[in-house]
Amino acid sequence: MNKSVFFGTVAAASLVAGFASAQTLAEVQERGTLNCGVTTGLTGFAAPDANGEWQGFDVGVCRAVAAAVLGDANAVEFVPTTGQTRFTALASGEIDMLARNTTWTFSRDVDLSFEFVGINYYDGQGFMVPRELGVSSALELDGATVCIQTGTTTELNLADFFASNNMSYEPVPIETNAEAQQQYLAGACDVYTTDASGLAATRATFEDPSAHVVLPEIVSKEPLGPLVRHGDNEWGDIVRWTLNALIAAEELGVTSANVGEIGNTTENPEIRRLLGTEGELGAMLGLDADWAANAIAAGGNYGEIFEGNIGESTPIGLARGLNAQWTDGGLLYAPPFR
Amino acid sequence: MATLSDPPRESFHISQLLYDTRYRSITIQVIAFILIVAAFVFLARNVVINLSALGKDFDFGFLGSRAGYDINQRLIEYSNESTHGRAALVGILNTLLVAFLGCIVATILGVIAGVLRLSKNWIVSRLMSVYVEGFRNIPLLLWIIVIFAVMTESTPSPRDFRGADPEASMLLGESVAITNRGIFIPAPVWGDGAFLLVSVFIVSLAGIWAFRRFARKRQEATGAILPVFWVSLGLFFVPVLVVYFAYSAAISRDQYPLLAVGAEQGMTLESYVEANGNPSICALPSTAGVNLSSALREIGQRANIVRVSTEAELLEAVQSGDCILAAVSPTVAASFPGTVEGVEMAALTDTVDRGRPLQFERPQLAGFNFEGGVQLRNSLIALWFALSLYTGAFIAEIVRAGILSVSRGQTEAAFALGLRPNRTMNLVILPQALRVIIPPLISQYLNLTKNSSLAIAVGYMDVRATLGGITINQTGRELEGILLMGLFYLALSLLISAVMNLYNNSVKLQER
């Protein structure tokens, strides 16, 4: 009898454990805040400002999702993660989504069982060196000491790039961007390599940015995007279509300034569907009808978030480039809202 | 006459399991055992179910797949083409290295500080108190970061050594460079005659052992004390040095010609390098190869040395284009054909020294950095010294306690016999104190080894950084990786304590 009770308990416990995953949306709504994983600090993408408020391009995605789900762009708990801790934090449920310059790769999508919901920045890996070294090409870096964030795709690309060009290098492994910056400026490494956007963001915080050059070679494709856990498709849909709503809003001319009234005044049916004045797209996601309007009102459309945090008018000064709308010759392309 | 009746039959009721003291203890143990097993089964099942809910399986196959990342400090052959398993091994060796170095320095520091803290000299004993209290009471992580930051921020970078009037210069006759990437020191390289040198050294060691045995016997027989230390020291160094200098003098005038692929008659090394750039050099296991690479660095060239062990391998490497420049003995050069399957070889006008049986390769500026020699990376130095200083403070207290545990009368008796203080310490006090010192010392060694995983703070590539860091991150095998790491630390700790317990058994009080 003892035995059967015991096995019964084990079976019941394991059933509970089996059903415990999924339903992230319900959890977030019940909690009242969204737990969003970001970097430990990369100016322009995600970093606390002087008042301790998180600001940045990736932070904008977190706020948009919080606004869509909870109606409040400030209902976000930002969880700083390093290159090494980010996936464990997401897999274990510590965070609901990760918006942290994370490259969409096959093995992360398939083997690590995450779901990339889209791409919010098309990037590639670059190299930055002090101007005084007189290096003008990455092919001149034979024998250099390279600072590299461990546990990243850039680490693997770096090894491939040097091996395929028959050059040697000395890796200096570091955990965070701040640490890399300190090591690089102290001259403990000749080169800092990471995504080109990260290099630009890091250089912008230097005392004398012009003393450092970003070399012309881009050695990889780094499609960066937010991701969620595998297996909760409803939640994945919400994050995916929030990102798409931001991109579509720019294409359709919906901005944070006009999002309040354009839904009622416009004749364009796609804008009306997007903003919930027509159709039931919100209900299909299990959200309010004005979910997308809230998301856009939080920080503006994709273009506004880009220009406000990393665009050419900011110290980081990134051109839109590949990240322009498809109508402007870029790669941004949101599927239709219908 | 008494009637014998049968003893009452043992009757057993199920309630006796609980109320009968004979059975109760067994019942409790059985129930406790079942509960513990149930808890473990529950945890294991939970893990399996959660893993399958996440779409993951439990598989160690990732250890055999290509790692794809590089490790800067490797004691064994490793490249990004190697497997994750090999990367883990590189990390394990790095952990063992820093633990081993740390235990040695911590012991030395600890014994000295522990003895000095009992010194009658007020300043010395206070200084040691400051050291012990300072390191014992501030977290280890802070010390690691402080030492690392000092090493990185206060030392010149390699480019400061460059130019006609450099900001920084090398120490000890241009052989040691202290930079913010670490300390570069000369590396030993074995050349021709190394076998002879090693043989002489081994014979000297045997001689030292024999002499000590003889001295001990003599002391026991006659009471006369021979100068064991000085004779041992002399035997250790003198024969080897004599052979080294004799051999070096004999071959000092030998010059090795340089064979170069595609060279023209009368070309110097410098003009050949200018024409070909960044050459790969072939080196037979001889210090001539080291001399060639130093000669190349003198003219500002980096060189990749391809090690070959025989003449046939040299020929093959030249033919396959793995190397284009070789320093070989004149006899080999003479036997080498002018054209090897279409590859033209010619001797340059420059030659290099044949080299000595044991030579030290100096670090030299080349490319972006110092090349040659051994690089002690800042991460290793910071970790090593912080671990040593921190654990040394604890060991100092253990040593102090051990010495204080030896009765004062022992010292007085030794002094009364006319023993000098240092002899008293070495022959009377420390051997008795060791019995008290060793057991807590074991746990300090274990602490130091486990604390080495704080390497994460300075980017030292130990097993936590390779297997437990990058590998886990690139493959997503957290559970497997952490389990393996746990197993490694467990095995290492058990091994250290087993070895130390053996030693403890040999010094503890022998009871008869």
Side-chain angles (χ1 to χ4, degrees):
Chain A
M1 189 210 81
N2 237 343
K3 266 191 175 170
S4 57
V5 168
F6 159 60
F7 282 121
T9 318
V10 169
S14 46
L15 275 179
V16 172
F19 287 131
S21 65
Q23 305 313 321
T24 313
L25 174 61
E27 271 174 42
V28 171
Q29 282 172 335
E30 195 177 324
R31 199 189 304 131
T33 54
L34 171 75
N35 289 338
C36 195
V38 290
T39 82
T40 51
L42 179 62
T43 311
F45 284 86
D49 65 10
N51 305 319
E53 288 275 311
W54 282 85
Q55 300 292 348
F57 184 69
D58 287 332
V59 166
V61 177
C62 295
R63 292 202 191 281
V65 173
V69 173
L70 302 165
D72 179 4
N74 290 318
V76 189
E77 191 73 50
F78 291 100
V79 180
T81 58
T82 68
Q84 290 209 22
T85 61
R86 54 186 167 179
F87 296 129
T88 315
L90 183 59
S92 67
E94 188 188 343
I95 53 179
D96 304 312
M97 59 176 284
L98 182 67
R100 188 203 177 278
N101 324 75
T102 298
T103 306
W104 187 347
T105 68
F106 182 94
S107 65
R108 285 172 179 176
D109 199 335
V110 178
D111 196 34
L112 266 60
S113 292
F114 295 124
E115 194 162 332
F116 284 81
V117 299
I119 293 165
N120 69 337
Y121 194 91
Y122 290 90
D123 209 344
Q125 180 175 353
F127 299 94
M128 176 164 66
V129 294
R131 195 175 289 280
E132 60 168 315
L133 279 186
V135 173
S136 59
S137 159
L139 296 170
E140 296 168 19
L141 292 178
D142 193 12
T145 305
V146 184
C147 275
I148 176 83
Q149 291 188 45
T150 58
T152 59
T153 50
T154 43
E155 186 169 43
L156 306 181
N157 297 332
L158 180 72
D160 290 350
F161 174 74
F162 274 83
S164 61
N165 286 297
N166 206 10
M167 303 192 297
S168 63
Y169 71 105
E170 153 108 13
V172 176
I174 43 102
E175 271 295 288
T176 65
N177 193 59
E179 203 183 316
Q181 190 172 327
Q182 183 254 331
Q183 292 277 307
Y184 171 76
L185 288 178
C189 44
D190 301 306
V191 188
Y192 179 34
T193 182
T194 186
D195 298 339
S197 64
L199 291 179
T202 306
R203 187 170 66 160
T205 61
F206 287 176
E207 217 168 287
D208 180 13
S210 63
H212 302 270
V213 269
V214 176
L215 299 177
E217 283 86 356
I218 297 291
V219 299
S220 68
K221 288 185 291 187
E222 306 285 340
L224 309 179
L227 59 154
V228 296
R229 277 181 297 279
H230 235 296
D232 188 351
N233 295 343
E234 290 79 12
W235 180 246
D237 285 343
I238 289 171
V239 182
R240 174 179 301 112
W241 284 97
T242 306
L243 179 62
N244 284 337
L246 297 178
I247 295 171
E250 186 188 17
E251 185 191 343
L252 298 170
V254 182
T255 66
S256 54
N258 67 16
V259 69
E261 79 277 6
I262 193 171
N264 298 316
T265 56
T266 182
E267 292 299 310
N268 185 332
E270 184 153 23
I271 296 180
R272 294 176 68 86
R273 281 196 297 276
L274 175 66
L275 298 181
T277 48
E278 189 184 305
E280 303 222 306
L281 294 186
M284 291 179 202
L285 279 177
L287 299 175
D288 297 336
D290 57 355
W291 65 282
N294 287 339
I296 297 162
N301 61 34
Y302 181 91
E304 288 175 88
I305 296 176
F306 192 102
E307 290 307 330
N309 292 300
I310 53 178
E312 285 180 297
S313 59
T314 65
I316 293 159
L318 292 172
R320 282 298 284 269
L322 290 176
N323 295 292
Q325 290 287 338
W326 64 287
T327 46
D328 298 334
L331 293 175
L332 285 188
Y333 186 103
F337 278 76
R338 64 168 67 247
Chain B
M1 191 180 172
T3 330
L4 280 177
S5 59
D6 286 341
R9 268 198 54 167
E10 283 278 333
S11 63
F12 181 79
H13 300 289
I14 203 106
S15 61
Q16 276 182 302
L17 284 178
L18 199 56
Y19 296 115
D20 190 326
T21 47
R22 284 176 299 172
Y23 301 117
R24 192 191 286 155
S25 60
I26 297 172
T27 315
I28 291 174
Q29 288 187 46
V30 168
I31 291 177
F33 178 72
I34 290 176
L35 285 178
I36 290 171
V37 170
F40 276 109
V41 170
F42 171 70
L43 287 176
R45 253 190 87 92
N46 208 0
V47 166
V48 171
I49 290 169
N50 279 334
L51 277 181
S52 66
L54 284 171
K56 293 184 174 184
D57 52 350
F58 195 75
D59 180 16
F60 287 97
F62 70 98
L63 287 175
S65 56
R66 178 179 178 268
Y69 61 90
D70 284 294
I71 301 176
N72 53 11
Q73 179 181 309
R74 41 190 188 265
L75 301 177
I76 52 171
E77 209 60 36
Y78 172 86
S79 77
N80 60 58
E81 295 292 333
S82 309
T83 62
H84 281 294
R86 196 155 179 93
L89 191 61
V90 171
I92 284 174
L93 289 176
N94 285 346
T95 296
L96 292 179
L97 174 74
V98 78
F100 179 72
L101 293 175
C103 283
I104 290 176
V105 175
T107 310
I108 294 171
L109 273 176
V111 171
I112 292 174
V115 172
L116 289 186
R117 205 177 170 187
L118 293 169
S119 163
K120 289 203 184 69
N121 185 319
W122 190 84
I123 294 178
V124 170
S125 69
R126 287 304 120 160
L127 271 179
M128 289 303 132
S129 302
V130 168
Y131 158 63
V132 168
E133 299 305 329
F135 277 89
R136 253 181 7 148
N137 295 308
I138 295 176
L140 173 57
L141 184 60
L142 293 189
W143 286 116
I144 295 178
I145 293 174
V146 163
I147 295 177
F148 186 67
V150 167
M151 296 283 308
T152 308
E153 300 286 351
S154 67
T155 49
S157 71
R159 64 186 95 117
D160 294 335
F161 289 81
R162 215 176 288 279
D165 183 25
E167 289 171 45
S169 55
M170 295 172 75
L171 308 173
L172 301 177
E174 296 280 294
S175 62
V176 173
I178 299 175
T179 75
N180 59 3
R181 294 175 192 179
I183 299 176
F184 293 82
I185 57 170
V189 182
W190 300 99
D192 297 343
F195 181 73
L196 181 68
L197 215 57
V198 172
S199 313
V200 170
F201 184 66
I202 291 173
V203 172
S204 310
L205 287 184
I208 291 173
W209 178 77
F211 176 74
R212 294 182 88 103
R213 220 176 120 94
F214 166 73
R216 190 194 201 109
K217 283 231 169 98
R218 204 179 129 106
Q219 188 183 354
E220 277 165 9
T222 69
I225 299 174
L226 290 175
V228 173
F229 176 76
W230 293 110
V231 173
S232 303
L233 198 68
L235 275 177
F236 193 85
F237 285 110
V238 173
V240 170
L241 286 180
V242 167
V243 171
Y244 175 77
F245 283 114
Y247 195 94
S248 303
I251 63 171
S252 67
R253 265 183 245 138
D254 289 5
Q255 290 287 316
Y256 276 12
L258 299 176
L259 290 180
V261 174
E264 286 152 29
Q265 213 60 43
M267 250 183 162
T268 62
L269 181 62
E270 195 160 2
S271 57
Y272 177 75
V273 163
E274 237 167 66
N276 291 282
N278 207 15
S280 289
I281 50 180
C282 269
L284 288 168
S286 136
T287 37
V290 172
N291 290 335
L292 175 54
S293 60
S294 329
L296 283 169
R297 287 191 202 111
E298 290 286 334
I299 54 176
Q301 267 298 326
R302 303 186 61 233
N304 306 317
I305 303 187
V306 181
R307 302 254 172 224
V308 291
S309 50
T310 62
E311 229 174 288
E313 271 185 42
L314 173 66
L315 201 61
E316 204 177 302
V318 169
Q319 277 168 1
S320 66
D322 282 348
C323 58
I324 58 169
L325 191 57
V328 291
S329 69
T331 47
V332 175
S335 71
F336 226 76
T339 305
V340 187
E341 293 186 9
V343 180
E344 196 86 27
M345 302 266 315
L348 301 175
T349 53
D350 289 314
T351 55
V352 293
D353 247 0
R354 178 180 177 184
R356 299 166 182 233
L358 173 63
Q359 206 169 315
F360 288 90
E361 188 186 16
R362 283 189 302 124
Q364 287 170 301
L365 270 177
F368 291 92
N369 210 344
F370 282 94
E371 303 241 327
V374 174
Q375 180 183 7
L376 299 173
R377 289 180 176 74
N378 275 344
S379 50
L380 169 65
I381 294 172
L383 189 66
W384 174 17
F385 280 96
L387 283 171
S388 306
L389 287 166
Y390 181 79
T391 312
F394 287 89
I395 293 179
E397 287 297 87
I398 293 169
V399 169
R400 186 169 71 112
I403 292 172
L404 288 177
S405 76
V406 179
S407 153
R408 176 90 191 128
Q410 297 279 329
T411 317
E412 283 161 1
F415 285 169
L417 287 173
L419 286 181
R420 277 173 278 123
N422 61 343
R423 251 170 203 275
T424 306
M425 183 55 87
N426 287 338
L427 297 177
V428 180
I429 309 297
L430 278 182
Q432 298 186 70
L434 272 185
R435 290 168 193 148
V436 179
I437 291 173
I438 303 273
L441 194 63
I442 300 175
S443 72
Q444 288 307 323
Y445 286 166
L446 294 181
N447 279 347
L448 189 147
T449 307
K450 289 177 289 180
N451 283 343
S452 70
S453 59
L454 286 171
I456 185 178
V458 286
Y460 179 72
M461 298 301 276
D462 71 336
V463 67
R464 206 224 60 84
T466 58
L467 175 65
I470 304 176
T471 291
I472 282 185
N473 210 263
Q474 303 290 11
T475 60
R477 302 281 174 191
E478 289 103 344
L479 198 64
E480 294 92 330
I482 298 290
L483 268 179
L484 283 179
M485 244 189 353
L487 268 180
F488 163 69
Y489 280 112
L490 180 68
L492 182 60
S493 296
L494 290 178
L495 184 74
I496 292 174
S497 79
V499 170
M500 289 299 292
N501 274 317
L502 277 183
Y503 179 59
N504 189 32
N505 284 339
S506 73
V507 299
K508 80 176 179 196
L509 201 58
Q510 304 292 330
E511 289 170 7
R512 285 178 231 277

